[in-house]
Amino acid sequence: MQISRIALVAALAASHPAYAQEADTLDLGTLTLEAESDATLLQNGYVAESGRQATRVDTPIRDIPQAISTVGQDQIEDQEPRTLLDALGYTSGTNVTNFGFDSRYDAIYLRGFSAYYDGLFRDGLRQVNGPSAWFQNHPYTFEGVSVLKGPSSSMYGVSGAGGLVNIISKRPKDDAYNELKLTFGTDSRKELAFDFTGTDGRLSYRLTGVARDADTPLPGYSDDLALLAPSFTYQLTDRTKITVLTEYSESTRGGTASYYNPSQGEASDIYVGDPDYNDFVNEQWRVGYELEHEMDNGVTLRQNLRYSEVDADLEFSGIYAAGTGFGRYWGHYLENSENFSVDTYAEGHFSTGAFDHTVVAGFDYTQSSYDAYYGGVGYVSAADTDAVDQPYSNGQEMYQYGVYVHDQLSSGPWTMFLSGRYDWVDMTTFDANQNGTDTSHNGFSGRVGLSYAFNTDLSVYANVSSSFVPTTGLVYDDSSDPNSGRAAEPTRGLQKEVGVKYQLPGTESLVTASLFDIRQEDGVVFQTVDPATFNGLNQVQVPYDLRSRGLEIEGQFNFANGLRVTSAYTYLDMEIEAGSTGTVGNQLSATPHHTASIWGFYEPQSGAFKGFGFGAGLRYVGESYGNDANTYKNDAEVFADLSMSYDFGEVGYDGLSAQINVKNVFDNTDQTCSADYCYRYEGRTATASVSYRF
């Protein structure tokens, strides 16, 4: 959003007569009002320049010997994603389409591995999700998303072999920024959003909010939201500051997102949900702080802390073949999840001979728990099921401690990362009688990375890194036997990666190409089971060893003519090395060999179309198998997205703009199958918004 500096000078002239004689002729160009704070992630258009997301210290992304993808504020604003899945749709190595349309959960896969339980972080602290009580991340509340590819446990502790997603919350800005935004769209979508930030002496503040009333193409499946996210930064002294980040939201989405599968590998057009019993109410809140103190000796101390809670109330339904028609069942599932995390570390700088060191050493602690209440499905009526007080069904408590050290060495064109960490995890798993079973795991994870800069535009890198994840819940050695459930062994992964990072000469850009090989042992995947045998459950965890090998190429570009582009290609070979009978040597289901995407947004700098913005994107998802037995395939799919905006500042209405976004332009509602169950894509949606920044 651009605001004419002529208007700014006119305002000065009104309060300072000395400016009045020059106000009619002085043009200082344009003043850009931007939402991002650049506090922990420095971004310029579509290009991320540096951040703390990979090393906990501000580091140029080009110097980090690891593949990192970043979705910044400008891309978020151009594409208008409704969910975190939408925001990552144009990112290499990321699969967000495994379950078709299901806005209830951020079910993200990185390099073929699931990341939704052990790979979601917010502001550097882990978000621990329960089985259904997941913390929802609303795009309007964050200013960027960084995806760290491959094992990152050496810095962030418990996280998966494919990598992690770190969401950067909006923070107070030093410069005043205010926005009001009104959005309408298909499926009766109505939304009001606001974002206010400014500074008063030592105090900077920000207040972000969303109120939304919306339906979806699925009957009775709503998309309502009420959210408020206050934050403030207080400069206690010249060397000490604290930033407090909070959020409260209540959302109502659908409890059922699936279609009836009449046979293996087929999703019918019959939606299985009951429109009159289809609410998934998710109430969540978080409060935390980031404390930073610079000592006289150059050492910086930081502590990040957060407490969060999610209450999930899920009404769901399903159908089953009964004679010549269908029978219906209903279920009511309740879950509460609580998380507390604190991370304390020191950053120091020193030199030894030819090497400059940036060292980080710290300790973190996470306590998480969930309690679930579920007594199985009912076959009488929705009202009868809803009237039953659901009994306690299961729960878990987890305590995780970790110590870590990271040394970032540089000498001339060379940069080396040496990272090591040790974690201790204690878990107690409760059955329906609230009898607890204790398990303890501990493990080391590390990283060695090296990069070499040939010049200011080109660098090469290599790394070896490992991951450590205790698996929550039960795994079933026999997916046909509900009595085969047991506590899982911790999952361990090892990656070898080489890559190139390149900036096109004379441009603002970053191109990353990487080759990787990841082996994961004692992993788990979800497998479809008979719900009649497993008391209404459709899927359970089963143990798998996996090997992921592939190539990723990704580029972000800001061109001087007003064009911004992001593009990506991924080749992925995801082999099952140990798993269910008949799966060894096969490809993991819903994991395509080839995916590709390109998105561009163009704002003409002169001429008749100045003030307009035009965006278009294509996403390609290649063929994949619908089950781990590899007996049938998912077809390749293409999705198209469009956007158009207009800045009314060009006709004298500074700060006012309008934008239209259309997702899935070709209205693709094809099926996709994962773990032998088939889902459908949402189809075409459109929104129109008007915003005012001042």
Side-chain angles (χ1 to χ4, degrees):
M1 175 65 66
Q2 296 180 333
I3 293 181
S4 169
R5 288 185 184 266
I6 296 178
L8 179 62
V9 171
L12 289 172
S15 56
H16 300 280
Y19 285 103
Q21 295 179 349
E22 297 181 283
D24 293 335
T25 59
L26 183 60
D27 185 353
L28 300 180
T30 58
L31 172 67
T32 301
L33 289 183
E34 296 183 324
E36 63 267 26
S37 67
D38 289 332
T40 64
L41 174 65
L42 181 61
Q43 50 186 297
N44 182 13
Y46 281 12
V47 181
E49 298 179 354
S50 67
R52 299 178 188 170
Q53 282 61 52
T55 65
R56 298 181 185 266
V57 297
D58 293 311
T59 306
I61 291 176
R62 202 198 96 170
D63 294 338
I64 298 173
Q66 180 180 5
I68 297 174
S69 299
T70 302
V71 178
Q73 185 71 51
D74 283 5
Q75 184 178 335
I76 292 171
E77 292 177 0
D78 292 344
Q79 295 178 339
E80 291 283 357
R82 292 177 304 168
T83 65
L84 179 60
L85 295 180
D86 289 344
L88 295 176
Y90 286 86
T91 303
S92 69
T94 304
N95 192 345
V96 296
T97 61
N98 286 42
F99 304 109
F101 171 65
D102 189 344
S103 61
R104 300 172 302 169
Y105 307 111
D106 295 326
I108 300 166
Y109 287 76
L110 300 178
R111 292 186 169 174
F113 299 98
S114 63
Y116 40 84
Y117 281 125
D118 50 44
L120 291 179
F121 287 68
R122 183 132 188 171
D123 302 316
L125 296 175
R126 185 180 177 215
Q127 287 185 175
V128 184
N129 287 322
S132 283
W134 291 24
F135 197 93
Q136 296 177 355
N137 300 281
H138 305 288
Y140 196 73
T141 68
F142 51 79
E143 59 185 49
V145 185
S146 287
V147 182
L148 281 61
K149 310 293 184 62
S152 300
S153 296
S154 61
M155 288 300 293
Y156 287 98
V158 172
S159 56
L164 62 86
V165 176
N166 188 23
I167 300 143
I168 299 100
S169 300
K170 285 182 175 178
R171 287 165 166 74
K173 288 168 55 69
D174 292 333
D175 301 321
Y177 168 89
N178 304 285
E179 180 182 61
L180 290 170
K181 186 175 184 179
L182 188 62
T183 302
F184 297 94
T186 51
D187 301 310
S188 304
R189 189 178 191 85
K190 301 174 288 292
E191 179 177 293
L192 172 65
F194 57 86
D195 189 12
F196 305 136
T197 183
T199 302
D200 184 7
R202 291 182 175 270
L203 178 68
S204 300
Y205 60 88
R206 191 158 194 167
L207 181 62
T208 304
V210 178
R212 181 170 68 227
D213 179 36
D215 296 324
T216 70
L218 299 179
Y221 191 118
S222 59
D223 187 18
D224 301 339
L225 172 66
L227 178 148
L228 198 62
S231 61
F232 67 86
T233 297
Y234 190 75
Q235 194 75 37
L236 297 167
T237 70
D238 292 341
R239 293 178 176 270
T240 307
K241 69 175 180 180
I242 185 171
T243 297
V244 176
L245 302 168
T246 70
E247 178 185 319
Y248 172 81
S249 72
E250 181 177 323
S251 63
T252 302
R253 301 184 182 184
T256 306
S258 58
Y259 291 80
Y260 178 64
N261 282 209
S263 61
Q264 184 187 50
E266 179 186 358
S268 70
D269 293 327
I270 302 173
Y271 174 58
V272 304
D274 180 351
D276 296 324
Y277 191 74
N278 203 21
D279 284 345
F280 182 9
V281 179
N282 203 83
E283 185 179 19
Q284 65 185 34
W285 60 276
R286 61 181 170 89
V287 58
Y289 65 77
E290 298 175 344
L291 180 63
E292 180 178 305
H293 174 67
E294 297 178 7
M295 301 177 67
D296 293 336
N297 58 3
V299 174
T300 300
L301 302 177
R302 295 190 178 96
Q303 184 178 78
N304 300 336
L305 179 148
R306 183 177 63 233
Y307 177 83
S308 61
E309 186 170 339
V310 182
D311 291 313
D313 187 332
L314 172 61
E315 300 173 348
F316 67 93
S317 182
I319 59 176
Y320 58 94
T324 58
F326 294 105
R328 180 174 289 281
Y329 61 83
W330 298 266
H332 191 190
Y333 179 90
L334 303 168
E335 185 180 318
N336 170 263
S337 175
E338 299 181 17
N339 293 277
F340 173 79
S341 294
V342 59
D343 178 24
T344 305
Y345 63 97
E347 172 192 340
H349 306 267
F350 61 90
S351 298
T352 57
F355 292 95
D356 294 325
H357 298 258
T358 299
V359 176
V360 175
F363 168 83
D364 66 17
Y365 169 74
T366 296
Q367 177 182 341
S368 66
S369 65
Y370 80 85
D371 292 296
Y373 300 83
Y374 175 60
V377 297
Y379 294 87
V380 178
S381 67
D384 181 76
T385 301
D386 192 45
V388 174
D389 290 331
Q390 297 300 316
Y392 187 89
S393 57
N394 62 88
Q396 192 167 66
E397 294 178 352
M398 184 189 74
Y399 302 88
Q400 174 261 323
Y401 313 81
V403 291
Y404 56 89
V405 177
H406 168 73
D407 189 1
Q408 194 166 306
L409 303 88
S410 62
S411 179
W414 293 96
T415 300
M416 177 180 284
F417 282 12
L418 299 173
S419 308
R421 178 186 176 101
Y422 204 88
D423 281 291
W424 296 264
V425 181
D426 297 322
M427 291 188 293
T428 302
T429 303
F430 298 96
D431 61 16
N433 296 317
Q434 299 192 33
N435 296 318
T437 301
D438 295 329
T439 56
S440 296
H441 301 289
N442 55 78
F444 174 83
S445 54
R447 171 179 57 179
V448 177
L450 184 67
S451 68
Y452 179 82
F454 287 97
N455 50 47
T456 56
D457 298 323
L458 175 65
S459 63
V460 297
Y461 72 88
N463 73 63
V464 177
S465 56
S466 61
S467 62
F468 169 77
V469 182
T471 300
T472 59
L474 298 177
V475 296
Y476 292 83
D477 293 310
D478 183 351
S479 59
S480 65
D481 181 8
N483 296 316
S484 66
R486 61 172 175 83
E489 295 296 321
T491 300
R492 301 178 189 273
L494 180 67
Q495 172 185 266
K496 303 169 187 175
E497 180 184 37
V498 295
V500 176
K501 297 187 180 183
Y502 180 64
Q503 175 179 296
L504 294 177
T507 69
E508 296 173 351
S509 61
L510 180 63
V511 179
T512 303
S514 59
L515 289 166
F516 59 88
D517 185 321
I518 306 173
R519 286 182 180 272
Q520 177 186 272
E521 296 180 350
D522 295 316
V524 295
V525 300
F526 281 94
Q527 192 168 86
T528 300
V529 295
D530 182 0
T533 303
F534 281 80
N535 196 25
L537 295 177
N538 289 298
Q539 292 185 329
V540 296
Q541 295 182 129
V542 295
Y544 269 50
D545 291 349
L546 299 169
R547 185 176 184 182
S548 170
R549 290 170 287 188
L551 164 70
E552 294 171 355
I553 304 174
E554 183 174 275
Q556 290 83 31
F557 311 88
N558 300 323
F559 296 104
N561 64 353
L563 175 64
R564 301 185 289 271
V565 175
T566 183
S567 58
Y569 167 76
T570 303
Y571 170 78
L572 183 62
D573 177 23
M574 192 71 176
E575 182 182 348
I576 301 170
E577 294 193 324
S580 301
T581 302
T583 65
V584 177
N586 292 351
Q587 293 290 299
L588 188 68
S589 67
T591 308
H593 278 309
H594 303 278
T595 57
S597 64
I598 184 168
W599 165 271
F601 196 87
Y602 176 55
E603 294 178 310
Q605 304 299 291
S606 61
F609 288 101
K610 185 180 180 183
F612 281 94
F614 304 95
L618 286 174
R619 293 175 287 127
Y620 171 80
V621 181
E623 287 185 342
S624 64
Y625 287 101
N627 61 2
D628 295 339
N630 290 183
T631 58
Y632 63 93
K633 285 187 174 182
N634 295 314
D635 294 333
E637 305 289 350
V638 176
F639 303 92
D641 305 309
L642 293 175
S643 176
M644 185 176 71
S645 65
Y646 184 71
D647 182 356
F648 288 94
E650 294 297 322
V651 292
Y653 296 95
D654 294 307
L656 183 65
S657 67
Q659 183 165 317
I660 296 173
N661 287 82
V662 183
K663 300 185 186 300
N664 195 358
V665 174
F666 301 135
D667 196 25
N668 184 344
T669 58
D670 289 348
Q671 72 171 33
T672 184
C673 306
S674 174
D676 227 4
Y677 196 88
C678 301
Y679 310 84
R680 288 197 175 276
Y681 298 113
E682 180 180 16
R684 181 173 49 244
T685 61
T687 58
S689 62
V690 177
S691 63
Y692 178 56
R693 290 183 176 179
F694 54 98

